[in-house]
């Protein structure tokens, strides 16, 4: 079974879907950092050197193993990747509408 098919089947379960949606912002953050790093053809070690943080910290941020990092950590990573941090609140249903539309 393909991953997308498996995920779709799992998300049919309301409790699974609720937990998935709770973690979605963290996964989206990690994904955006990884994508920005790859666009710059940088390794975690490269980002580590530019931020002055250990490579293990970059790995934890990308792997979301310790929750959402501090804003100051995100800013250092963004600076290293020539990016900016954008934080905003939006209606909960806007994500669902965007997926449908």
């Amino acid at each position: 079974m393909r991953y997308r098919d498996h995920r779709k089947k799992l998300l049919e379960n309301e409790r699974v879907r609720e937990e998935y949606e709770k973690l979605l912002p963290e996964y989206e953050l990690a994904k955006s950092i990884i994508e920005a790093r790859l666009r710059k053809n940088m390794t975690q070690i490269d980002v580590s050197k530019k931020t002055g943080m250990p490579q293990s910290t970059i790995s934890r941020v990308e792997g979301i193993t310790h929750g959402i990092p501090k804003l100051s950590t995100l800013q250092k990573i963004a600076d290293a990747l020539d990016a900016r941090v954008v934080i905003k609140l939006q209606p909960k249903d806007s994500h669902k509408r965007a997926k449908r539309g």
Side-chain angles (χ1 to χ4, degrees):
M1 178 181 283
R2 293 184 335 199
Y3 167 76
R4 289 177 193 230
D5 296 332
H6 183 63
R7 183 181 68 184
K8 183 178 178 182
K9 180 144 182 68
L10 287 174
L11 293 176
E12 290 172 2
N13 179 307
E14 185 176 341
R15 287 178 59 197
V16 171
R17 187 176 58 255
E18 286 173 3
E19 290 303 313
Y20 176 85
E21 288 176 357
K22 281 182 193 176
L23 293 173
L24 197 55
E26 293 176 41
Y27 283 108
E28 288 176 343
L29 173 61
K31 181 181 175 187
S32 70
I33 292 169
I34 294 167
E35 288 173 346
R37 180 173 58 77
L38 294 176
R39 274 193 308 273
K40 292 295 222 175
N41 293 316
M42 294 175 72
T43 65
Q44 289 181 349
I45 293 171
D46 295 331
V47 176
S48 168
K49 289 176 182 174
K50 286 189 86 170
T51 61
M53 294 186 280
Q55 181 272 331
S56 60
T57 299
I58 307 305
S59 177
R60 281 195 301 272
V61 169
E62 289 187 0
I64 64 168
T65 56
H66 288 81
I68 295 178
K70 290 190 220 177
L71 185 55
S72 59
T73 299
L74 290 175
Q75 188 60 57
K76 287 179 185 178
I77 292 171
D79 289 344
L81 297 172
D82 193 30
R84 62 187 176 102
V85 176
V86 177
I87 298 173
K88 62 183 178 179
L89 298 179
Q90 58 189 79
K92 288 183 178 183
D93 65 345
S94 67
H95 183 72
K96 292 175 186 171
R97 277 186 273 151
K99 289 251 180 196
R100 279 189 246 142

